[in-house]
Amino acid sequence: MKLVGSIILLFIGFCIYLAWLAGSHGQIQLRSYILEDWIFLSSILLCLIGAILLFISWIRYKYKHS
């Protein structure tokens, strides 16, 4: 279940990135005064961090019970 959750979070993060890319017409810029950029960036980072943590947890569980 952790592996599936990790893959789902990666997919969600990729979809958010594509939405940000489409909305900025292919030129992503992190402008500090625009809240939209920070929301997209933080959402992508949360998805990636969550996916990495779930994957590491899955690996630890797999090797602990082998």
Side-chain angles (χ1 to χ4, degrees), residues 16-64:
I16 293 171
Y17 173 73
L18 289 178
W20 190 15
L21 188 64
S24 62
H25 304 288
Q27 297 180 359
I28 292 180
Q29 300 174 359
L30 184 60
R31 299 161 290 195
S32 61
Y33 55 90
I34 295 184
L35 183 63
E36 179 184 350
D37 293 345
W38 288 103
I39 291 172
F40 277 120
L41 181 64
S42 61
S43 299
I44 293 168
L45 287 176
L46 284 174
C47 286
L48 289 177
I49 290 169
I52 290 169
L53 290 176
L54 280 175
F55 187 71
I56 289 171
S57 174
W58 175 75
I59 288 175
R60 284 185 179 173
Y61 179 79
K62 182 180 175 184
Y63 286 113
K64 183 185 278 187

